[in-house]
Amino acid sequence: MTIQELARILHDMYFNSKDGEAVAMIHLFGVKYALEIESLGVSKKDIAKAANIRESYGTEISKGVKLSKYVVAK
């Protein structure tokens, strides 16, 4: 998966989220796509930037990736 594909998915999850759930969707993105994110080897900030969301949300993506070791998406 490319950074552009991941960015498109993140963009859709973020901008189509329910009110008050945008950051939760970033975490969920990290959980669902942790393997792809890690194997791509790019910065989480670069993924956020490519998705046209704040670069600082790279930290939230990282939290989701870390959570992926312990949780699965419903």
Side-chain angles (χ1 to χ4, degrees), residues 4-52:
Q4 291 80 15
E5 291 169 318
L6 285 171
R8 183 190 51 77
I9 294 167
L10 176 57
H11 182 274
D12 290 345
M13 289 178 74
Y14 181 82
F15 287 103
N16 293 321
S17 64
K18 294 179 183 176
D19 287 343
E21 294 187 1
V23 175
M25 289 297 108
I26 297 171
H27 295 151
L28 181 60
F29 168 80
V31 170
K32 288 177 76 171
Y33 297 97
L35 292 175
E36 291 86 349
I37 293 166
E38 292 296 309
S39 68
L40 194 58
V42 298
S43 141
K44 279 78 168 178
K45 287 184 178 186
D46 288 341
I47 296 171
K49 188 175 179 180
N52 293 316

Side-chain angles (χ1 to χ4, degrees), residues 27 30-31 34 37-38 44 61-69:
H27 295 151
V31 170
I37 293 166
E38 292 296 309
K44 279 78 168 178
I61 296 169
S62 292
K63 290 176 186 178
V65 170
K66 288 178 185 174
L67 281 171
S68 72
K69 298 174 187 171

